[in-house]
Amino acid sequence: MVIPLISDVGRIAIDMCTSLGAFVLFLTKAITTLFTTKLKISKLFYQMNRIGVDSFNIIILTGSFTGMVFALQAYIGFQRVGGEQFIGSVVALGLIRELGPVLSALMVTGRAGSAIAAEIGTMRITEQIDALVTLRINPFQYLIVPRILGSTIIMPFLTIFAMIFGIAGGYIICVYVLELSPEDYMNSIRNYVELSDIMGGLKKATIFGLIFSWVGCYKGYWTSGGARGVGLSTTQSVVISSISILISDYFLTKLLEHL
């Protein structure tokens, strides 16, 4: 019984290393293509519009209601210790450092990351990617690079709006619902929020944008098995991206803490 168990563990470890290596080689090829071929500017802006602008309404709703809920929960906790004047700084720091980047990335992953995997996966099973190769068109230059670069560029801008609307939502709850002092809310933000906090949140958003587009492109590019395979690739891209974002958030937080 021991030998088969060891064999299973070894096989799983080898499969994981193989998959991770394939992911890294895929990104390496995309980066190499970016610097060795001409960038499709029109494709880049088109993907930035699809991934970023089309996700704007979702980001506003997510940021606003996250700030509202966070402010309400912070009030419940701080009321017990008489620290209501610190609610503004807690809401702002929570949204800027963690909730803004993470929730924005998860929402865009569900909306745009899945679309990336489904679109490229459909092109794979209908042999459109093979047709591009036949026409001497680099599929990485035409399909992969604009999506990865576009999402990496646009995610910090979406996160900024999530932060702003989240803080505004917290302000509305504190001032108009809980009837707290607006001066205390704003002054606590000015006193405790630093530029390094904002830059840290934007750096996280940039990495998260790279992650979900990278995973979506990879899963879509290597789709097989017809329509069922497209659905499977789409589901896997969302799950893997979401887990990767949450895991990388911890390590990025630790890394930024020492910078």
Side-chain angles (χ1 to χ4, degrees):
M1 294 299 293
V2 177
I3 295 177
L5 178 61
I6 296 175
S7 176
D8 292 339
V9 172
R11 186 178 65 255
I12 292 172
I14 292 174
D15 291 341
M16 290 179 62
C17 291
T18 302
S19 299
L20 182 60
F23 267 102
V24 174
L25 290 175
F26 185 86
L27 181 61
T28 302
K29 186 174 181 179
I31 294 174
T32 303
T33 303
L34 172 62
F35 289 104
T36 57
T37 61
K38 183 179 179 181
L39 178 64
K40 301 287 186 180
I41 300 296
S42 60
K43 294 289 183 182
L44 174 63
F45 281 104
Y46 176 73
Q47 293 301 326
M48 291 173 65
N49 179 73
R50 283 191 61 194
I51 297 170
V53 178
D54 291 350
S55 301
F56 187 68
N57 293 335
I58 298 175
I59 294 299
I60 289 178
L61 290 173
T62 301
S64 299
F65 283 96
T66 299
M68 292 179 181
V69 172
F70 197 10
L72 190 59
Q73 294 289 358
Y75 173 77
I76 295 173
F78 280 115
Q79 186 185 35
R80 298 174 183 176
V81 296
E84 292 91 340
Q85 68 272 18
F86 298 112
I87 293 177
S89 60
V90 171
V91 171
L93 287 172
L95 286 164
I96 290 172
R97 293 178 63 91
E98 290 297 329
L99 295 178
V102 172
L103 292 181
S104 296
L106 292 177
M107 295 303 295
V108 178
T109 295
R111 199 204 71 82
S114 59
I116 290 174
E119 183 177 3
I120 297 179
T122 301
M123 295 183 70
R124 169 61 73 184
I125 66 169
T126 56
E127 300 182 351
Q128 295 181 51
I129 295 178
D130 297 330
L132 292 176
V133 176
T134 303
L135 296 172
R136 298 179 62 85
I137 297 175
N138 188 339
F140 273 75
Q141 179 190 15
Y142 190 79
L143 298 174
I144 307 302
V145 171
R147 285 169 170 81
I148 293 180
L149 185 60
S151 62
T152 304
I153 293 174
I154 204 64
M155 271 307 299
F157 294 96
L158 290 175
T159 302
I160 288 175
F161 284 102
M163 296 174 182
I164 293 173
F165 281 92
I167 294 172
Y171 179 88
I172 292 173
I173 293 299
C174 288
V175 175
Y176 297 104
V177 177
L178 303 176
E179 298 182 350
L180 301 177
S181 171
E183 290 78 13
D184 287 343
Y185 187 90
M186 298 305 298
N187 288 334
S188 64
I189 295 177
R190 295 191 189 98
N191 293 334
Y192 295 103
V193 176
E194 300 177 356
L195 181 60
S196 60
D197 298 319
I198 300 174
M199 295 305 297
L202 297 181
K203 290 175 183 176
K204 285 185 177 182
T206 303
I207 300 299
F208 295 158
L210 170 65
I211 288 173
F212 78 75
S213 58
W214 171 19
V215 174
C217 287
Y218 175 85
K219 299 303 293 186
Y221 191 81
W222 294 114
T223 295
S224 61
R228 183 178 180 275
V230 174
L232 185 61
S233 296
T234 303
T235 302
Q236 289 178 346
S237 70
V238 174
V239 173
I240 294 173
S241 297
S242 300
I243 294 174
S244 300
I245 286 169
L246 294 174
I247 293 174
S248 63
D249 179 51
Y250 170 78
F251 291 102
L252 287 171
T253 301
K254 293 292 291 184
L255 179 63
L256 294 171
E257 180 182 340
H258 297 291
L259 294 180

